[in-house]
Amino acid sequence: MKEMEYGQKPNDCKRENRYIYGGREHEEEYLFCYFERGPTAYMLWVYIEDENYGFDGTLYKLPIVVPGNLVTNEFILRPYLNYPATIRGANVKFRALRSGLAWGGIISEASWATRNPVNHSNGNYADDRTISIKDMQGFVGMEGDSQMCYFNNTPVITNEEYNWNFRDCNLFAGRKYRLYIYIQSVTVPGWDPQELRVQEIIQYHGDNGRMSPGVRVYPPYSNEWAFPNGHPRISRGPGGMGMEVTFGTAKPSGLVWLYVQDAANTNFTIDGIKAGSQAIGLAGCVVLGMQALVPAVYTVRLRECGMSPHPHPYVLVSYTEDQGIQNDGTLGDPIYFTVPVTNSFVQSPFVVGEPGLDTGLTVTFESSRPGKLWITVSTEATAQSFAVTISNVKQATYAFSTSSCMIDGLSITPVTQVVELPTCPLAYLQNYYVHVYIEDHNGNLDGTLYNPVLVQVLSSNTYTAEPVLTSLPTTDMVSIRFTPKKYGFAWLVLRPLASPLEAPARYHMKAGVGAVGGLSCRLSGAPIQAEEQAFTLTGCGLNPDVIYALYVYIEDYRGNLDGLLSRLLTVKVRKTNNFVKSPIQVGTPTLDGFSVEFLATAPVGRAWGMAVDAVGGGTITPLGIRQLLTAEGGPGCQKAHVPIDNTTQQFDFSDCQFQPGKTYMIYIYVEEDPSDIAAGMISGPVIISYFDPSNLTILAGQAVENVTVGDYSNRFLRPAALQATSMIEQVRIGFQAAEEGLAWGLILPSANASGVTLDTVKNGLNIPGYKPCAVPSIPLDGNSSSLQVISFQGCSLMAGVRFMAFPLVTYKAFVYIEGTSGGVGLLSPGIDVNVMEDVSNWFREQPRKSGAATPNGATLALRAATAGGRLWAIFTRYRAGVDRESVRSGRNAVGGLACRRTDVAVGVTTAFIQFEDCGLERGTYYYAYIYVAGPSGGLDGTLSDAVEIAVPLASNDFALRPRLTATPTENTVRLTFTAVQQFGRAWIMIAESKYASSTNISDVKQFRNAMGGRDCRRAGMSIDTQAQVIDFLAVYKEEQEACNLASNAIYVAFVYVEDVNGLNDGTMGQMVIKVRPRPPVSNQIAAGPVLTTPPTENDIHLQFEASSAGRYWAFVI
């Protein structure tokens, strides 16, 4: 109704989407309608709704009857066919009762079937459907030419026989038509035809004549397929190159059209088939107008068709007519088919080995039958720019090499084939596509073309053993070894580690961009062999405070910039000596000298010491202090190459020539003996001021002068300094305060040290991801001759590892002191805290869970750093108290022997460890610990962080619970959900709400108490972690298969998900479904509809009143 699919055509005789006011009388005139006179009713349909377009309004109908008149003429002899009809037209005879005018025309049976019943005084005699008088007089909906196949306003005389010939009608053979003649008198009975002008009579009596019954017109086919088996059929084949077709014609002097076209083209018309524009193949595959002179059985062979094998669909089309060529023949039924595959793959093709310039290409596969093989290779760019077909593969149209990288019709047998192309010139670091096609020995293009196989050619050289450092790097020397797969050339570059990390390009490696040191500290195209290679870089001048990146790049002998860059090796020179106890001032300094005390780690070492002006003293470096640059005073005030050991050392400085009122900083530098140059440790400064100490304090690391004692409640007599080697969990800081009072301590990463204030030391500083390491207030005795020591416990500081030469995580320690009276105290400078640890093995990649955990166990992935290492692993319920020894001994481990590892080998490649027989409980958390050590397997290895193993309560669960995506109706329910497992299955059904609490997994899997049929359930559907959208629709059209939910009822949708193991250990989800009752109408007619005047042949007046404002539609049928 709203789409105006029916109704009389004039726009003024219909209304579409018209606005109407509510509660107001509405009247409209419908013009240019057409109504036959007589008792038969027409129907006026009116639909009204509100303004929301909800299809929820009210539909009304109102009958219309136009009163009739007397019939002015009749047939003495009703029309009948004088000769058999043809596609050109028909010939009919008839006689009229009275003189008058006549009209005649032909309509199709299809058009006749849509006509309304007519049975009134001026209609026809017995037909329940007929053409209307107005359409007849206006040549509406008729066939053929309006001059030759139509009689219009033609005079007829009383009782005279007429033989009307309808020509140029362009009828279709085999199609049914109806021929009608309408007659009316030019006068009423008893009138003299000469008394009134004809036009006036026609105008007055325009539709009161007699319409004849419809004369059936059925033009025959000029030729047909012989009955019963004459329709074309494929009698041999089909094959890729063609087939044989057999057919029989029913009449002599025939012509036949026959060919194959793509099944997607459905132009099955006579003109379309005779044109042959959709035919595939060459001339031998197309039959256009073949003579079939006698009715007989014919067999035609179609050749050169070039059809693709299954599953590509084709259709055989055919047509026959006589030699009059009037398009009046018979179409054959379209025959859909696919070409059977004559050979296929039992084992799909894949590339064996590593393709490249040196090895060529090797492809293996297995065919189902004996036959022939074609292989071509195309570049990635070429393959993406053309459509791969059997023909262009066999002809090697897009092959990048036709001399040494293709196979052309090689005979094969149905066993595993290994096809080698040893000289195929595949360039390294390039992608190619391999096209493999097999067929039988007949060569009909009906074999199997496998999807293009992507070949990613790797680098021209690679590593059988990755580069590793062979000794601890020094400031001058770095040693490395690796094993290449082929002989070729190598480049080594050592450069500062960038942040963010960015690997160098190949041409940067060959150019040595960013390399440190001299030419002896790099390799530039050094020849290498396919065996272990060892190189030592010298003259590098590395700084122990800088982290370096070492890269190795190798190629084959061709030098085409297509080699492989190694992974990053971090290089950091180990500091050969360190401070157990940082230097502190002892005694009272004078302008001539001072004394400091310190303790180093190395049993045999050397030390340097000097004083510099606190203002303008410059940056102190290991090389600078070794050369005593910017040192104050004479030789007695400078220490160089002084032998030391690992006992407390005291250096006495004299002849310093200090000046009153100035501040100096004392530095001590220690190395191991022997040691690389500048590979030792510089102490923090010991500050000595030669003015009233009450006028000096250190606030946030800066000297503040000219303040009085009363400004600060306490001060340092001896600056804060480290008192022992820093450990991961304990740091000790010593100092001496001038007054009694309180002290606070804080350690934090160096990167956050700039934000330290008096308040942050006292109250702490929240740093995300960092466990606070602080000492709350402790008492000070003041003026004590001994050091006050603050001990930081349980800090969990991150250690740098000497063996790895990894970057240190540096920290700063601060001490704040106040007097007993409170007030503002003093904050020490930041004290460097570096935690070092020696280990025999560590993790290049920390252990991580690979895949989901199950009650049986889990799989962990890790990568150790030391070749030939040893590994221990356990699963445990505990997180605290786990150490290296407990992992090695298996203490508190869960599960059987397959759920742990004890002293097993581990290499430097990524290892996947599968733990089984663990007996884990669902819904319980476990923790996995991995310990790796060096080849000796001692306790000097590394224990991993706890890897959390959470065994889910179910084998699958919902990431997003089931929910509706649309309002449910009786036969349409739409819902969505998302599961957590990558591979799983789901069962879904709807049941009455009374089964909500009693339905279990078995009920859902068996659809017990489920509503509806196939359209309203899902059984074991495959699901992943993507959102699943489920539409329960009436797909099968059978009522019993739909959901058939009741209106205004409540149901429950059950969604059950599990993994693919089928153990009924998944998760059940429920969702309430309320089928809302159908809404009441949104608008209706409050008064009417009614016709306000009697209808005429062309006009009606409609009146009605709407209940509320809205829209309405109306038409007449």
Side-chain angles (χ1 to χ4, degrees):
M1 182 81 195
K2 295 178 77 171
E3 293 180 3
M4 296 280 111
E5 290 187 7
Y6 304 103
Q8 295 193 10
K9 293 182 180 179
N11 288 331
D12 287 337
C13 194
K14 62 178 68 173
R15 299 294 184 269
E16 181 177 3
N17 197 18
R18 294 288 183 89
Y19 184 81
I20 186 170
Y21 292 96
R24 184 185 301 181
E25 187 178 89
H26 180 79
E27 181 172 345
E28 283 195 84
E29 182 179 9
Y30 290 70
L31 300 172
F32 305 111
C33 304
Y34 175 74
F35 304 105
E36 294 276 4
R37 292 176 177 171
T40 298
Y42 293 82
M43 199 67 68
L44 171 66
W45 292 85
V46 180
Y47 171 69
I48 183 172
E49 67 182 26
D50 63 9
E51 299 180 74
N52 297 323
Y53 297 94
F55 293 88
D56 52 0
T58 310
L59 187 65
Y60 299 87
K61 59 183 179 178
L62 180 67
I64 300 173
V65 177
V66 180
N69 291 325
L70 293 176
V71 176
T72 62
N73 211 344
E74 290 282 1
F75 287 99
I76 298 176
L77 179 65
R78 296 180 186 178
Y80 68 92
L81 287 178
N82 196 25
Y83 305 107
T86 69
I87 62 172
R88 299 169 187 81
N91 184 281
V92 294
K93 286 186 178 182
F94 68 93
R95 291 182 183 178
L97 176 65
R98 300 183 182 93
S99 297
L101 299 174
W103 288 259
I106 299 174
I107 65 173
S108 68
E109 184 101 340
S111 174
W112 172 85
T114 64
R115 305 287 173 158
N116 292 322
V118 177
N119 182 20
H120 50 73
S121 61
N122 61 333
N124 59 28
Y125 294 92
D127 285 359
D128 59 350
R129 298 178 186 276
T130 184
I131 186 172
S132 68
I133 297 174
K134 293 295 185 182
D135 286 352
M136 170 65 80
Q137 293 179 335
F139 192 69
V140 177
M142 296 192 194
E143 301 292 328
D145 181 76
S146 62
Q147 300 298 320
M148 307 300 293
C149 194
Y150 173 63
F151 287 83
N152 178 33
N153 203 21
T154 304
V156 293
I157 300 174
T158 301
N159 200 27
E160 184 168 326
E161 184 175 277
Y162 288 91
N163 190 347
W164 280 8
N165 190 22
F166 293 79
R167 296 173 294 167
D168 293 338
C169 296
N170 296 323
L171 307 181
F172 289 94
R175 189 173 296 181
K176 297 179 180 180
Y177 299 87
R178 301 252 177 159
L179 187 152
Y180 286 95
I181 294 178
Y182 170 70
I183 58 175
Q184 65 182 33
S185 176
V186 296
T187 181
V188 295
W191 287 9
D192 186 344
Q194 304 299 322
E195 291 181 0
L196 296 174
R197 290 184 294 114
V198 173
Q199 187 59 39
E200 293 177 354
I201 297 300
I202 294 173
Q203 183 176 1
Y204 185 76
H205 301 287
D207 60 354
N208 55 6
R210 172 68 72 187
M211 182 74 72
S212 73
V215 179
R216 295 178 182 270
V217 176
Y218 187 14
Y221 294 109
S222 66
N223 203 353
E224 297 181 83
W225 308 110
F227 181 82
N229 299 317
H231 272 271
R233 57 187 174 85
I234 299 174
S235 54
R236 183 177 181 184
M241 293 305 293
M243 57 189 170
E244 290 186 358
V245 180
T246 298
F247 59 88
T249 55
K251 298 180 181 180
S253 302
L255 298 175
V256 174
W257 285 256
L258 188 73
Y259 58 82
V260 176
Q261 65 185 36
D262 195 288
N265 301 319
T266 56
N267 185 19
F268 303 143
T269 64
I270 293 175
D271 288 335
I273 291 178
K274 291 176 75 172
S277 59
Q278 302 296 333
I280 67 168
L282 302 179
C285 195
V286 182
V287 174
L288 298 178
M290 183 193 86
Q291 291 190 354
L293 298 178
V294 296
V297 176
Y298 296 87
T299 297
V300 176
R301 184 177 182 184
L302 302 182
R303 297 173 295 177
E304 302 174 327
C305 296
M307 293 181 288
S308 299
H310 180 84
H312 192 102
Y314 295 95
V315 60
L316 176 69
V317 296
S318 55
Y319 170 70
T320 183
E321 66 181 24
D322 65 8
Q323 297 191 12
I325 314 178
Q326 295 296 314
N327 286 6
D328 54 357
T330 305
L331 288 169
D333 294 332
I335 301 174
Y336 290 89
F337 66 92
T338 59
V339 177
V341 176
T342 60
N343 209 345
S344 59
F345 293 102
V346 176
Q347 171 63 56
S348 301
F350 62 93
V351 175
V352 180
E354 295 184 6
L357 278 175
D358 294 318
T359 56
L361 176 68
T362 301
V363 178
T364 184
F365 65 90
E366 183 178 344
S367 64
S368 61
R369 299 180 181 89
K372 291 187 176 182
L373 164 71
W374 285 260
I375 296 178
T376 62
V377 180
S378 59
T379 63
E380 183 177 33
T382 302
Q384 293 176 353
S385 64
F386 75 92
V388 180
T389 65
I390 293 175
S391 295
N392 59 40
V393 170
K394 290 186 71 172
Q395 297 169 14
T397 307
Y398 300 101
F400 91 104
S401 173
T402 57
S403 60
S404 58
C405 204
M406 64 172 288
I407 298 295
D408 185 10
L410 176 69
S411 294
I412 57 174
T413 57
V415 296
T416 300
Q417 304 287 321
V418 179
V419 182
E420 296 181 347
L421 300 170
T423 59
C424 185
L426 301 179
Y428 293 107
L429 299 181
Q430 299 295 322
N431 290 343
Y432 298 87
Y433 283 93
V434 179
H435 311 285
V436 183
Y437 172 68
I438 58 174
E439 63 183 27
D440 63 8
H441 288 287
N442 296 323
N444 286 328
L445 301 179
D446 48 11
T448 301
L449 176 60
Y450 192 72
N451 292 330
V453 179
L454 174 62
V455 177
Q456 296 176 312
V457 184
L458 304 179
S459 54
S460 62
N461 208 345
T462 185
Y463 301 98
T464 56
E466 288 273 352
V468 295
L469 297 176
T470 57
S471 64
L472 293 176
T474 68
T475 55
D476 180 69
M477 182 178 66
V478 176
S479 296
I480 187 173
R481 72 166 180 262
F482 60 89
T483 304
K485 187 171 184 179
K486 306 174 185 177
Y487 74 93
F489 299 97
W491 287 260
L492 273 68
V493 169
L494 183 64
R495 65 182 193 174
L497 184 65
S499 180
L501 185 64
E502 183 176 354
R506 291 178 174 84
Y507 60 89
H508 284 167
M509 286 293 299
K510 298 183 79 168
V513 175
V516 299
L519 293 178
S520 61
C521 193
R522 69 192 71 173
L523 286 184
S524 297
I528 54 175
Q529 301 297 322
E531 58 189 27
E532 184 178 289
Q533 305 290 301
F535 295 96
T536 297
L537 309 182
T538 60
C540 297
L542 304 184
N543 186 343
D545 294 320
V546 176
I547 302 167
Y548 297 89
L550 177 63
Y551 291 97
V552 182
Y553 172 68
I554 58 174
E555 291 180 358
D556 65 3
Y557 64 92
R558 296 181 180 88
N560 289 332
L561 205 66
D562 52 10
L564 178 63
L565 183 68
S566 72
R567 56 183 172 81
L568 163 70
L569 289 177
T570 56
V571 175
K572 190 174 190 303
V573 176
R574 180 178 67 89
K575 294 183 181 296
T576 61
N577 209 344
N578 206 336
F579 292 100
V580 176
K581 179 179 179 182
S582 296
I584 60 173
Q585 175 191 325
V586 294
T588 301
T590 67
L591 293 176
D592 181 66
F594 59 92
S595 297
V596 294
E597 186 178 274
F598 63 91
L599 176 61
T601 59
V604 179
R606 289 187 177 275
W608 287 256
M610 66 178 185
V612 298
D613 194 328
V615 179
T619 301
I620 306 302
T621 65
L623 288 175
I625 197 171
R626 284 174 61 92
Q627 299 173 21
L628 301 176
L629 298 178
T630 71
E632 294 286 330
C637 199
Q638 301 167 3
K639 305 293 184 183
H641 294 281
V642 179
I644 60 172
D645 55 20
N646 55 356
T647 62
T648 300
Q649 307 290 312
Q650 179 170 319
F651 278 8
D652 299 319
F653 294 81
S654 61
D655 191 23
C656 292
Q657 306 168 23
F658 292 151
Q659 299 180 23
K662 296 189 68 172
T663 300
Y664 299 89
M665 294 186 292
I666 314 303
Y667 290 93
I668 303 296
Y669 170 70
V670 294
E671 288 182 358
E672 192 176 25
D673 189 13
S675 170
D676 296 326
I677 296 175
M681 174 68 74
I682 300 177
S683 71
V686 177
I687 299 175
I688 299 178
S689 300
Y690 289 93
F691 48 85
D692 188 341
S694 64
N695 288 338
L696 173 68
T697 185
I698 303 298
L699 183 62
Q702 300 296 321
V704 181
E705 300 184 15
N706 300 321
V707 293
T708 64
V709 175
D711 289 335
Y712 297 94
S713 62
N714 208 341
R715 56 191 174 85
F716 291 100
L717 291 179
R718 180 178 293 186
L722 284 172
Q723 294 301 300
T725 300
S726 299
M727 305 299 290
I728 292 175
E729 297 185 354
Q730 177 175 303
V731 178
R732 292 169 57 85
I733 303 292
F735 62 92
Q736 186 176 357
E739 306 290 341
E740 293 183 359
L742 297 174
W744 290 261
L746 176 67
I747 297 178
L748 72 170
S750 298
N752 304 98
S754 60
V756 172
T757 65
L758 306 180
D759 290 334
T760 56
V761 176
K762 292 182 69 174
N763 302 318
L765 181 64
N766 183 25
I767 302 173
Y770 173 67
K771 178 182 178 181
C773 183
V775 174
S777 60
I778 62 172
L780 301 174
D781 52 14
N783 291 312
S784 173
S785 59
S786 61
L787 285 176
Q788 184 82 38
V789 176
I790 291 181
S791 181
F792 295 82
Q793 302 285 343
C795 292
S796 297
L797 303 183
M798 188 176 295
V801 180
R802 298 180 190 274
F803 186 90
M804 299 165 58
F806 266 16
L808 294 177
V809 178
T810 60
Y811 300 88
K812 292 283 188 182
F814 294 89
V815 177
Y816 171 66
I817 59 175
E818 287 182 359
T820 55
S821 60
V824 178
L826 297 182
L827 178 63
S828 74
I831 304 162
D832 289 333
V833 178
N834 298 328
V835 183
M836 298 293 292
E837 186 177 13
D838 291 315
V839 295
S840 62
N841 204 349
W842 68 96
F843 295 102
R844 291 194 183 277
E845 295 178 10
Q846 279 285 336
R848 66 188 184 279
K849 188 171 63 173
S850 176
T854 68
N856 187 51
T859 299
L860 299 185
L862 60 95
R863 185 181 172 200
T866 303
R870 311 302 295 175
L871 177 143
W872 288 258
I874 64 169
F875 276 30
T876 180
R877 290 288 303 277
Y878 301 98
R879 187 157 194 167
V882 179
D883 55 21
R884 304 173 187 181
E885 182 55 43
S886 63
V887 174
R888 285 168 55 95
S889 64
R891 189 168 61 246
N892 296 322
V894 301
L897 294 178
C899 195
R900 67 186 71 177
R901 295 294 185 274
T902 302
D903 196 16
V904 298
V906 64
V908 295
T909 59
T910 301
F912 292 89
I913 305 176
Q914 185 172 353
F915 296 85
E916 299 176 318
D917 191 26
C918 295
L920 308 182
E921 297 180 8
R922 291 196 179 276
T924 303
Y925 283 90
Y926 297 84
Y927 304 95
Y929 289 91
I930 311 291
Y931 171 68
V932 292
S936 62
L939 288 172
D940 56 351
T942 301
L943 179 63
S944 72
D945 297 332
V947 181
E948 188 175 87
I949 307 295
V951 184
L953 287 171
S955 64
N956 206 349
D957 205 342
F958 296 102
L960 178 65
R961 303 290 296 182
R963 61 181 177 85
L964 291 172
T965 59
T967 302
T969 66
E970 291 89 337
N971 285 311
T972 302
V973 178
R974 290 184 168 91
L975 59 93
T976 183
F977 65 90
T978 304
V980 300
Q981 286 286 14
Q982 179 65 37
F983 302 101
R985 296 193 179 279
W987 286 258
I988 309 171
M989 76 173 197
I990 298 174
E992 296 180 44
S993 58
K994 65 183 180 181
Y995 298 112
S997 59
S998 61
T999 299
N1000 55 34
I1001 294 173
S1002 177
D1003 295 334
V1004 174
K1005 283 192 170 184
Q1006 299 177 32
F1007 300 115
R1008 191 174 291 119
N1009 302 317
M1011 300 296 296
R1014 287 177 294 176
D1015 291 340
C1016 201
R1017 60 189 63 174
R1018 296 292 185 272
M1021 61 177 287
S1022 296
I1023 58 174
D1024 52 21
T1025 56
Q1026 301 297 314
Q1028 307 295 316
V1029 179
I1030 309 300
D1031 289 340
F1032 288 145
L1033 307 172
V1035 175
Y1036 293 97
K1037 307 302 182 185
E1038 294 94 348
E1039 181 178 357
Q1040 67 273 17
E1041 302 296 350
C1043 290
N1044 294 321
L1045 307 182
S1047 178
N1048 201 28
I1050 298 177
Y1051 298 89
V1052 175
F1054 295 92
V1055 181
Y1056 170 69
V1057 295
E1058 66 181 25
D1059 62 11
V1060 296
N1061 294 321
L1063 300 179
N1064 291 348
D1065 55 357
T1067 302
M1068 179 85 78
Q1070 292 187 9
M1071 177 180 56
V1072 175
I1073 296 175
K1074 175 66 179 296
V1075 181
R1076 304 292 180 183
R1078 293 190 178 275
V1081 295
S1082 63
N1083 204 353
Q1084 56 188 347
I1085 293 179
V1090 64
L1091 297 179
T1092 58
T1093 61
T1096 68
E1097 297 94 325
N1098 311 105
D1099 191 10
I1100 58 173
H1101 287 74
L1102 173 67
Q1103 177 180 298
F1104 66 91
E1105 179 181 319
S1107 298
S1108 58
R1111 298 276 176 176
Y1112 85 97
W1113 291 255
F1115 59 56
V1116 176
I1117 57 176

